[in-house]
Amino acid sequence: SDGNIWGGEFLIADLKGFIRFTHFDYIPMPGGEKAIDEPWRMAFSYIYKYFGDSFDYKSVPLFKLIDDQKLLLVKEMIVKKMNSPMTSGAGRLFDAVSAILGFCSAATFDSEAPMRLESAIDGETNDFYPFRAAKTIVFADTIKAILEDLPRQKISVISAKFHNTIAQVILEVSRQIRKDTSLNKVILSGGVFQNKYLLEKSSYLLTRNRFKVFTNHLVPANDGGISLGQLVIASKIRR
């Protein structure tokens, strides 16, 4: 409804309408769909959004592998708002972190970057990174902490801590919504919940905090479930 690419949102909804309570911070997608094929673009976009020109990009091993002219071009696209639609999609954040950790700078198949990021998780940790959840959910502190961890921590641990962060975001915002509305039912859906670790961690935290959690079983969590949702809402309106 605002002309941007949605995702990473918390909706208070019934079959007649919805309120978008909050959402992940909007980030430019330099090159549009090209940014999905080349996750390093989203890595650059997140870092540039939060730290701008003051950041030493060559301090990140990822950017040492990217041609300087390409980096300049992507920066110019962001600054001049050329073919750089804004998105709040959770998948683009997972793409960025996967690229920063060196798992996938250019994807060879759909969702490769987040899949590699999840598969890297090894061992148990409940640690998570800082974030800010207000009008939007801002990951500046998360990205900063990941970059600081990069030279001194196992990437398997960084990946786990990042996933735990997203689960904590879900819990924190769910608590805010419950406080404001008394709603206690949480539906976890969307492509990001094809991620087994995130789904299980989020479900565990919510259930432990006395939320009633619903997840996909017969219908896909990702775009495969959208048409059914449209039919249900259309039938409700027509009825």
Side-chain angles (χ1 to χ4, degrees):
S1 59
D2 59 5
N4 293 325
I5 299 169
W6 282 24
E9 61 240 339
F10 294 79
L11 308 176
I12 302 169
D14 58 24
L15 294 179
K16 291 175 286 192
F18 69 89
I19 296 165
R20 196 181 187 210
F21 185 83
T22 188
H23 58 85
F24 286 11
D25 215 9
Y26 278 129
I27 304 291
M29 281 176 66
E33 286 198 9
K34 189 81 172 169
I36 299 173
D37 297 332
E38 297 182 353
W40 69 265
R41 291 172 180 251
M42 288 311 304
F44 182 89
S45 191
Y46 264 94
I47 295 171
Y48 192 79
K49 159 95 175 180
Y50 293 136
F51 312 116
D53 291 321
S54 63
F55 184 79
D56 176 14
Y57 290 86
K58 292 299 181 181
S59 67
V60 182
L62 164 69
F63 297 128
K64 292 176 183 174
L65 304 173
I66 308 296
D67 183 76
D68 287 347
Q69 286 302 313
K70 279 190 177 181
L71 288 173
L72 278 171
L73 178 62
V74 164
K75 176 187 163 182
E76 194 173 343
M77 291 170 82
I78 293 168
V79 171
K80 295 184 177 178
K81 300 179 180 178
M82 295 164 46
N83 191 23
S84 296
M86 302 298 283
T87 181
S88 60
R92 305 294 72 79
L93 174 61
F94 277 72
D95 283 349
V97 173
S98 182
I100 288 169
L101 297 189
F103 294 124
C104 182
S105 60
T108 57
F109 57 86
D110 188 43
S111 300
E112 179 181 359
M115 286 169 70
R116 292 195 182 281
L117 185 63
E118 182 192 5
S119 65
I121 298 170
D122 183 23
E124 281 293 318
T125 178
N126 292 315
D127 292 347
F128 58 92
Y129 292 115
F131 60 88
R132 295 200 299 276
K135 189 176 179 182
T136 62
I137 299 149
V138 180
F139 291 101
D141 295 337
T142 312
I143 299 294
K144 182 173 183 283
I146 287 171
L147 291 165
E148 288 171 352
D149 258 359
L150 197 54
R152 65 189 185 200
Q153 183 64 274
K154 289 182 180 175
I155 51 176
S156 59
V157 175
I158 299 174
S159 180
K161 286 171 71 176
F162 167 70
H163 282 80
N164 294 347
T165 305
I166 304 304
Q168 284 292 329
V169 168
I170 291 165
L171 175 62
E172 173 67 24
V173 176
S174 297
R175 280 174 171 162
Q176 289 176 20
I177 294 173
R178 180 164 64 185
K179 185 180 174 186
D180 289 1
T181 67
S182 298
L183 289 170
N184 202 48
K185 295 177 181 177
V186 180
I187 299 169
L188 301 175
S189 197
V192 73
F193 290 110
Q194 290 182 302
N195 184 312
K196 184 172 182 284
Y197 182 94
L198 179 64
L199 179 63
E200 290 178 353
K201 180 69 77 170
S202 302
S203 298
Y204 169 76
L205 290 175
L206 289 165
T207 304
R208 199 178 68 175
N209 282 271
R210 301 185 304 282
F211 286 96
K212 192 169 183 182
V213 181
F214 297 83
T215 61
N216 292 73
H217 290 275
L218 301 177
V219 179
N222 67 345
D223 292 357
I226 289 176
S227 55
L228 177 62
Q230 290 171 330
L231 282 169
V232 171
I233 291 166
S235 68
K236 177 76 174 178
I237 292 167
R238 287 176 67 85
R239 194 178 300 146

